[in-house]
């Protein structure tokens, strides 16, 4: 899976890298702040990181997963401040098959933003570019699972060409996009 690099007037998006680990103390603080904020993880409580030590483990695990092809964690940074404002994960179909029971296993995308970045149409601007790069690199099908109460994420997916396919579980729906 090819990593994605994006930049616009407001953000940069790039995969986690070994260079990030050279500043892991600062980045671990940022990851901990992001993934312990109740508003960031409101619809993904399983992503909560309780301590900075957990954030450091998350960083190292993300880098290992990237190099093993298990998923590609991308950091979204404010271009103005260079602060971490979100994360976008691209999860290959073989990894999705380990966790979900579906008839078909597309590549999954998952994203979360800090409260300061929410409501600013950032994902509406970023996601179509991410989709374009994934499709250009040979991905045929994409999917996302969204909590039904997360109206903003559902709107972002629909604007980006995803279609609600079915109920995924008691709280979530499955969205899909095909090339």
């Amino acid at each position: 899976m090819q990593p994605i690099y994006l930049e616009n007037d407001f953000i940069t998006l790039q995969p986690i890298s070994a260079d990030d680990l050279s500043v892991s103390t600062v980045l671990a603080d940022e990851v901990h702040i992001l993934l312990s904020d109740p508003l960031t993880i409101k619809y993904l409580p399983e992503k909560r990181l309780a301590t900075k030590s957990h954030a450091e483990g998350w960083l190292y695990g993300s880098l290992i997963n990237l190099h093993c092809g298990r998923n590609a964690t991308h950091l979204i940074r404010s271009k103005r401040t260079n602060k971490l404002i979100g994360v976008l994960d691209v999860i290959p179909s073989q990894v999705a098959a380990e966790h979900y029971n579906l008839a078909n296993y597309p590549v999954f995308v998952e994203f979360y933003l800090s409260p300061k970045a929410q409501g600013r149409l950032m994902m509406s601007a970023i996601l179509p570019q991410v989709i374009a790069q994934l499709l250009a690199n040979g991905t045929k099908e994409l999917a996302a699972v969204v909590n039904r109460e997360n109206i903003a994420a559902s709107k972002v997916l629909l604007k980006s060409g995803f279609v609600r396919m079915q109920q995924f579980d008691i709280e979530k729906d499955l969205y899909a996009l095909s090339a």
Side-chain angles (χ1 to χ4, degrees):
M1 177 167 296
Q2 294 289 333
I4 299 168
Y5 297 86
L6 294 175
E7 185 173 339
N8 64 27
D9 292 341
F10 306 105
I11 64 96
T12 60
L13 178 143
Q14 60 188 34
I16 193 163
S17 72
D19 290 341
D20 291 318
L21 299 184
S22 68
V23 292
S24 66
T25 302
V26 173
L27 186 54
D29 283 336
E30 289 183 303
V31 167
H32 181 246
I33 289 166
L34 180 71
L35 296 179
S36 66
D37 187 302
L39 294 175
T40 300
I41 58 166
K42 180 177 181 179
Y43 302 108
L44 295 163
E46 67 276 10
K47 299 291 181 184
R48 183 178 179 277
L49 297 177
T51 66
K52 183 178 166 185
S53 176
H54 290 139
E56 289 172 346
W58 182 91
L59 284 168
Y60 284 99
S62 295
L63 184 61
I64 290 167
N65 284 338
L66 176 67
H67 287 285
C68 294
R70 294 205 42 85
N71 76 313
T73 298
H74 296 79
L75 304 177
I76 305 169
R77 295 188 168 283
S78 165
K79 200 161 183 186
R80 184 176 56 83
T81 64
N82 200 37
K83 295 283 184 196
L84 183 68
I85 58 170
V87 173
L88 180 131
D89 272 329
V90 180
I91 304 159
S93 54
Q94 68 271 18
V95 175
E98 295 172 10
H99 300 282
Y100 302 142
N101 184 17
L102 301 170
N104 179 37
Y105 295 97
V107 171
F108 278 77
V109 293
E110 182 178 271
F111 54 86
Y112 21 103
L113 294 174
S114 74
K116 291 178 183 175
Q118 294 173 10
R120 297 177 172 251
L121 303 176
M122 286 186 197
M123 286 311 301
S124 293
I126 296 168
L127 193 56
Q129 295 174 340
V130 168
I131 292 166
Q133 284 196 27
L134 289 168
L135 295 177
N137 289 331
T139 300
K140 302 288 186 222
E141 295 178 276
L142 292 167
V145 175
V146 178
N147 185 301
R148 239 171 257 112
E149 293 180 13
N150 192 346
I151 305 301
S154 297
K155 285 182 180 180
V156 167
L157 291 170
L158 293 170
K159 281 184 184 179
S160 299
F162 283 80
V163 175
R164 184 192 172 278
M165 299 302 291
Q166 65 191 47
Q167 181 174 323
F168 183 76
D169 65 22
I170 194 165
E171 297 176 335
K172 300 176 191 100
D173 291 328
L174 177 68
Y175 289 76
L177 182 145
S178 295

